[in-house]
């Protein structure tokens, strides 16, 4: 065994002793300890899908055209109180989510949950192939504890009982320490005796601790990462920022001028994706040079049709101007294009606190101006931005995408009109409403194999490339930094067994990699 491993996933101002893996506002949920206490049925490698690892389930089988999935529950697993995990616990967990909407974070809604021997079968009203991540990532709970917990949405779970490799050792307002679960079913893989999650009240405090060798494992966007971290100890300071999804400029399709295709085409031609990646994102994200927005290399297994659909790596203001001129736009005396007496003017809005996005936006504003578009930047409060984007109160905004274990998640996040209602949007923020695209998404969701999904993706990819309902810019990274002074075995671009980004509970499609990574670690020099 090596020394205590120190892990940081999210700065928090204050914490409380709340380990409920379904209470996402709780500070500990973002910091990471729950992801080492509670386990899912399957762990997924979001850095190299469709790779996955059987976990509390040894296998899963689809039936009824994807409307039913059966998990074979692993035998010999015990909770950290020494009692056995049973299929009844798995069934109880899914029924609990079904009965309590506040827990059901990703809308896993089986019509029935049944057990037979070691198997648990969930049935659904529609095919669920595209929803596998959300289903199988569900954090499994012990019925003996949670059936007596009262309202499970508000249960603080102060002394959590899980099947994971670690259990609670000590809690203080300054941090949480976990120790090895003596009943863990993969005990031979544990080489870390304890994990400490200190409370850092700001990014600055977390960065300082990382740079001074006080943190082993972190997950942050860090400007100057190479100079301030890697270069100070190249043999032990490392990072790998896997591409989880694609950032994009989201144009409001209900507002002029971003509802005009020639304007969106001109925006796409005018921006320098290489510069946005190297300067705005500090070289930690890559330009998206395929015009479909497919995140590469992450989804390389689905990428065959996109090779011919490309974006320019550099800005091309001449091409942008040509597109507008062909569409009947002319330059006014102010140097900006206009049509029908209206200047092509737009405001890019993003949270002022998102410093990388603001840096990206500043570059884009300059590039649009150079192409004859009167662009301005407005940095606002995060809460205001979230509200405005949900309500459609914007012209153009830079926004992340949605990662997953197939490209479906990303395209549905961009294009699914079902995510827009009278109360606001939870995705499809540009407000695309295209029945044909909705039907294409439904077809993709019903595709069982990678080959079928690749074929069914094509009309969606072609639509994005031709119509630019969103304008892809750079990849969106899974932030991951590590210090190998104490432990080796971390995932890398050469060995992408996992993305490496530390996160909270392995629940509701979380991209948390805590379990898989920590079981790969061994003490340095051992």
């Amino acid at each position: 065994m090596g020394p205590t491993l120190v892990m940081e996933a999210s700065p928090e101002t204050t914490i409380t002793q709340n380990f409920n893996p379904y209470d996402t506002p709780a500070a500990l949920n973002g910091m990471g300890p729950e992801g080492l206490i509670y386990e899912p049925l399957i762990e997924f490698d979001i850095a190299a899908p469709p790779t996955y690892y059987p976990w509390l389930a040894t296998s899963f089988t689809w039936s009824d055209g994807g409307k039913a999935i059966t998990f074979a529950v692993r035998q010999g697993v015990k909770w950290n109180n020494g009692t056995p995990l049973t299929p009844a616990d798995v069934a109880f967990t899914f029924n609990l989510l079904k009965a309590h909407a506040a827990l059901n974070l990703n809308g896993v809604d089986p019509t029935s949950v049944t057990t037979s021997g070691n198997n648990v079968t969930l049935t659904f009203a529609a095919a669920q192939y595209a929803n596998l991540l959300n289903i199988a990532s569900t954090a499994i709970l012990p019925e003996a504890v949670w059936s007596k917990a009262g309202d499970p949405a508000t249960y603080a779970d102060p002394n959590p009982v899980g099947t994971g490799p670690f259990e609670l050792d000590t809690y203080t307002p300054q941090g949480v320490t976990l120790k090895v679960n003596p009943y863990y079913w993969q005990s031979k893989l544990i080489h870390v005796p304890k994990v400490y999650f200190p409370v850092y009240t700001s990014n600055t405090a977390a960065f300082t601790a990382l740079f001074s060798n006080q943190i082993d494992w972190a997950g942050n966007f860090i400007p100057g990462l190479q100079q301030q971290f890697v270069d100070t100890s190249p043999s032990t300071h490392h990072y790998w920022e896997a591409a989880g999804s694609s950032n994009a400029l989201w144009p409001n399709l209900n507002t002029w001028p971003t509802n005009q295709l020639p304007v969106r085409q001109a925006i796409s031609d005018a921006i320098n994706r290489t510069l946005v990646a190297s300067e705005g994102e500090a070289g930690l994200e890559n330009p998206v040079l395929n015009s479909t927005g497919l995140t590469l290399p992450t989804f390389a297994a689905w990428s065959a049709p996109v090779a011919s659909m490309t974006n320019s790596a550099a800005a091309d203001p001449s091409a942008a101007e040509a597109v507008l001129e062909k569409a009947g736009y002319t330059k006014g005396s102010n140097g900006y294009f206009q049509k029908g007496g209206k200047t092509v003017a737009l405001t890019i809005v993003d949270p002022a606190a998102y410093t990388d996005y603001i840096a990206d936006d500043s570059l884009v504003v300059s590039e649009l101006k150079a192409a004859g578009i009167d662009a301005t930047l407005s940095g606002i409060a995060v809460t205001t931005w979230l509200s405005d984007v949900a309500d459609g109160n914007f012209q153009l905004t830079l926004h992340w995408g949605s990662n997953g274990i197939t490209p479906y998640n990303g395209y549905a996040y961009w294009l699914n009109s079902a995510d827009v209602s009278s109360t606001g949007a939870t995705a499809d923020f540009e407000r695309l409403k295209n029945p044909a695209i909705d039907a294409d998404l439904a077809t993709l969701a019903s595709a069982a194999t990678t080959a079928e999904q690749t074929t069914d993706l094509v009309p969606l990819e072609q639509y994005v490339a031709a119509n630019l309902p969103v304008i892809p810019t750079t990849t969106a990274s899974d932030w991951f930094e590590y210090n190998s002074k104490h432990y080796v075995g971390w995932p890398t671009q050469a060995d992408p067994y996992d993305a490496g980004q530390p996160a909270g509970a392995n629940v509701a499609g979380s991209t948390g990699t805590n379990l898989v990574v920590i079981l790969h670690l061994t003490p340095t020099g051992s």
Side-chain angles (χ1 to χ4, degrees), residues 387-411:
S387 176
D388 285 350
V389 168
D391 293 341
N393 183 27
F394 70 98
Q395 286 180 294
L396 189 66
T397 186
L398 186 63
H399 199 290
W400 54 82
S402 177
N403 53 13
I405 57 174
T406 76
Y408 171 84
N409 304 74
Y411 284 92

Side-chain angles (χ1 to χ4, degrees), residues 169-482:
D169 184 18
T170 61
Y171 166 88
T172 75
Q174 288 73 47
V176 171
T177 300
L178 304 184
K179 62 182 179 181
V180 172
N181 168 11
Y183 300 102
Y184 189 54
W185 59 280
Q186 297 186 94
S187 59
K188 293 181 180 179
L189 299 180
I190 303 177
H191 300 283
V192 177
K194 291 187 177 184
V195 186
Y196 179 49
F197 297 84
V199 174
Y200 296 107
T201 58
S202 68
N203 281 332
T204 301
F207 296 168
T208 300
L210 178 67
F211 298 160
S212 60
N213 296 313
Q214 297 176 50
I215 297 176
D216 297 288
W217 186 5
N220 308 91
F221 169 71
I222 304 175
L225 180 62
Q226 181 70 38
Q227 296 79 12
Q228 297 187 61
F229 180 58
V230 176
D231 290 349
T232 61
S233 182
S235 63
T236 58
H237 291 181
H238 312 278
Y239 71 90
W240 175 44
E241 321 290 12
S245 64
S246 294
N247 289 312
L249 291 165
W250 296 53
N252 190 326
L253 299 182
N254 291 333
T255 302
W256 199 87
T258 49
N259 63 350
Q260 302 297 302
L261 178 57
V263 173
R264 300 198 299 275
Q265 291 171 326
I267 292 171
S268 184
D269 286 337
I271 59 179
N272 187 330
R273 293 173 172 84
T274 301
L275 190 65
V276 170
S278 63
E279 293 194 9
E281 295 297 334
L284 301 177
E285 295 181 332
N286 298 319
V288 174
L289 300 182
N290 76 85
S291 55
T292 73
L294 184 71
T295 306
L296 297 173
T298 305
F299 295 115
W302 293 265
S303 67
V306 310
S308 62
M309 293 180 274
T310 61
N311 286 319
S312 172
D316 193 344
S318 297
E321 293 187 0
V323 166
L324 291 172
E325 289 168 351
K326 183 178 179 180
Y329 293 79
T330 58
K331 275 192 176 180
S333 58
N334 60 2
Y336 297 118
F337 281 98
Q338 58 184 8
K339 191 174 186 180
K342 295 189 292 184
T343 297
V344 180
L346 55 86
T347 298
I348 305 176
V349 61
D350 272 302
Y354 294 1
T355 55
D356 58 328
Y357 273 14
I358 293 298
D360 295 348
D361 293 340
S362 297
L363 293 169
V364 169
V365 164
S366 297
E367 291 157 359
L368 295 185
K369 285 181 174 292
I373 296 174
D374 185 11
T376 56
L377 169 60
S378 176
I380 60 177
V382 173
T383 52
T384 303
W385 178 72
L386 291 171
S387 176
D388 285 350
V389 168
D391 293 341
N393 183 27
F394 70 98
Q395 286 180 294
L396 189 66
T397 186
L398 186 63
H399 199 290
W400 54 82
S402 177
N403 53 13
I405 57 174
T406 76
Y408 171 84
N409 304 74
Y411 284 92
Y413 191 65
W414 282 344
L415 308 174
N416 191 356
S417 68
D419 292 321
V420 182
S421 69
S422 59
T423 59
T426 57
D428 184 22
F429 300 116
E430 78 279 9
R431 269 112 177 124
L432 177 70
K433 188 175 183 179
N434 186 313
I437 292 300
D438 289 337
D440 289 336
L441 284 168
T443 299
L444 176 60
S446 299
T449 67
T450 299
E452 292 170 335
Q453 292 161 2
T454 300
T455 298
D456 291 341
L457 265 171
V458 171
L460 298 167
E461 293 168 327
Q462 291 175 332
Y463 185 85
V464 171
N467 295 278
L468 297 170
V470 296
I471 304 168
T473 56
T474 70
T475 56
S477 289
D478 295 319
W479 306 117
F480 166 43
E481 301 87 30
Y482 63 98

Side-chain angles (χ1 to χ4, degrees), residues 119-134:
N119 295 327
V120 176
T121 299
L122 284 69
T123 63
F124 297 87
Q128 297 293 302
Y129 296 121
N131 204 29
L132 175 62
L133 175 66
N134 295 329

